[in-house]
Amino acid sequence: MPTPSTPTVTWPDGRRFAFTVFDDTDNMTLDVGSIVYGFLAEIGMLTTKTVWPIESAEPPQIGGTSCADPDYRSWVLDLQEQGFEIGLHGVAAGTADREQTVAGLDRFHQIFGHDPHTHANHSGCDNCIYWGEKRLTGAARLAYNVMTRFRNRGWQGEVEGSPLFWGDVCRSRIEYVRNFVYGDINTLAACPDMPYHDPRRPYVREWFASSEGSAVDAFVDMISEDNQDRLEQEGGACIMYTHFASGFVVDGQLDPRFRHLMTRLAAKDGWFVPTTTLLDHIRTQRGGQHVISDRRRRALERRWLRHKMSVGAS
């Protein structure tokens, strides 16, 4: 199925396209983060950095520094003051029950002055909401389960009666949740419905997608000069998915490919704002909340499955 054309969205101040990054906080440390975000601030690229507001009560599969560390917390607050968005990657690096999730959201509000506007599930947490096979329906779900050998099942964030249930809390306190990741720099072309509400998944207010860039090699491939120019020509919007702790800094030095390509991108006539600002703008341009149809959702699912087959299902 060909990628649909980019929906008609005009960008503020006559900007030709929009670009941001949604950074999952896996393995992040203050040493690495200060280098990456210092560079982003230098080139005027405001993005979204996720955090864990509390320390995990159990050893996580994938860890990193949380806001329980006072120096790290102070640094993240400084990022917020500079205009970066602080989002949520779950309340902790490990599985959190309902009580811990509410406490973590309360702590986020206490630190940053508001509930998180954006959230992305974190691998290895059983309280993920609509995760694994639950991201899909019908034949697409079956195909995914075959691809993953029926491993990615059992998440309980939206399961009423489970001690890990927090769906109602998600719906009342978080605006946007990330779902599908695509192999196209123009996220809005790959997912022209975003942000959207899915009636089959009622505990999420609105979903958004992103473009593949999980580690440094994938990221620089996605923001190649040709892709940058195409994004600009199409007047599109890119929300890059990444982990800035995955190879972007080695021996205290920023990856030179990343530095060059991001500097080039920042010099273009783009709108460089955090994820929530970008999604709010698209939503306003469309006149409010968009409810996705079954047909449109199935198209998104099939497109995502093709991408997962190319990069490895998870």
Side-chain angles (χ1 to χ4, degrees):
M1 178 186 301
T3 300
S5 60
T6 307
T8 302
V9 177
T10 59
W11 307 113
D13 303 320
R15 300 294 183 179
R16 299 188 60 184
F17 66 98
F19 179 92
T20 194
V21 183
F22 194 91
D23 170 30
D24 290 1
T25 195
D26 307 33
N27 297 313
M28 182 56 77
T29 64
L30 178 55
D31 288 345
V32 168
S34 60
I35 294 171
V36 175
Y37 282 92
F39 167 68
L40 293 176
E42 177 186 321
I43 63 173
M45 189 75 69
L46 296 177
T47 62
T48 301
K49 190 228 176 311
T50 62
V51 298
W52 296 309
I54 60 176
E55 196 68 18
S56 177
E58 62 174 35
Q61 292 184 20
I62 303 171
T65 311
S66 78
C67 290
D69 181 288
D71 292 335
Y72 187 84
R73 183 173 66 248
S74 177
W75 168 66
V76 176
L77 280 167
D78 183 60
L79 290 181
Q80 183 184 48
E81 187 69 22
Q82 294 177 57
F84 290 92
E85 176 185 9
I86 309 304
L88 190 73
H89 199 35
V91 298
T95 297
D97 62 22
R98 181 182 176 88
E99 182 180 354
Q100 291 164 338
T101 296
V102 171
L105 283 166
D106 289 345
R107 180 58 176 151
F108 186 103
H109 194 289
Q110 182 183 37
I111 296 170
F112 300 108
H114 58 79
D115 284 337
H117 302 303
T118 52
H119 163 71
N121 289 311
H122 176 52
S123 297
C125 293
D126 293 342
N127 59 304
C128 288
I129 188 164
Y130 300 118
W131 201 236
E133 65 167 1
K134 296 178 182 179
R135 302 166 82 174
L136 303 159
T137 53
R141 178 177 291 192
L142 176 60
Y144 175 81
N145 279 328
V146 171
M147 287 168 56
T148 60
R149 300 182 181 181
F150 292 85
R151 291 191 302 267
N152 291 340
R153 312 173 80 182
W155 285 275
Q156 301 174 49
E158 79 291 348
V159 179
E160 295 182 31
S162 166
L164 306 183
F165 172 67
W166 66 288
D168 57 333
V169 180
C170 179
R171 183 173 57 197
S172 66
R173 300 184 69 168
I174 298 172
E175 183 63 46
Y176 301 113
V177 178
R178 192 187 67 211
N179 191 1
F180 300 126
V181 177
Y182 294 106
D184 186 340
I185 193 170
N186 192 344
T187 318
L188 189 56
C191 183
D193 294 276
M194 78 171 190
Y196 63 88
H197 177 71
D198 182 355
R200 288 178 177 258
R201 294 162 179 84
Y203 288 124
V204 168
R205 285 195 224 170
E206 296 186 74
W207 296 96
F208 70 96
S210 56
S211 297
E212 181 65 59
S214 58
V216 66
D217 289 342
F219 194 104
V220 298
D221 285 348
M222 186 60 70
I223 64 163
S224 69
E225 294 187 2
D226 286 346
N227 280 348
Q228 290 182 23
D229 294 344
R230 179 168 62 82
L231 179 66
E232 182 178 29
Q233 291 161 9
E234 293 174 356
C238 176
I239 301 175
M240 285 295 298
Y241 149 67
T242 199
H243 304 87
F244 275 142
S246 294
F248 287 81
V249 175
V250 177
D251 296 330
Q253 299 297 314
L254 195 65
D255 184 278
R257 301 167 299 166
F258 174 71
R259 178 184 290 278
H260 165 72
L261 289 168
M262 289 293 283
T263 301
R264 181 182 189 271
L265 180 62
K268 286 182 171 290
D269 190 19
W271 193 44
F272 305 118
V273 293
T275 304
T276 291
T277 306
L278 175 55
L279 294 173
D280 282 349
H281 177 75
I282 296 172
R283 190 179 190 273
T284 299
Q285 290 251 310
R286 292 179 176 167
Q289 187 182 78
H290 169 59
V291 179
I292 198 168
S293 67
D294 285 346
R295 181 181 65 84
R296 298 285 290 184
R297 186 188 59 254
R298 287 194 297 268
L300 295 181
E301 292 174 354
R302 290 193 296 269
R303 194 171 302 126
W304 179 70
L305 278 175
R306 287 195 297 274
H307 175 65
K308 296 308 289 182
M309 284 189 284
S310 70
V311 300
S314 63

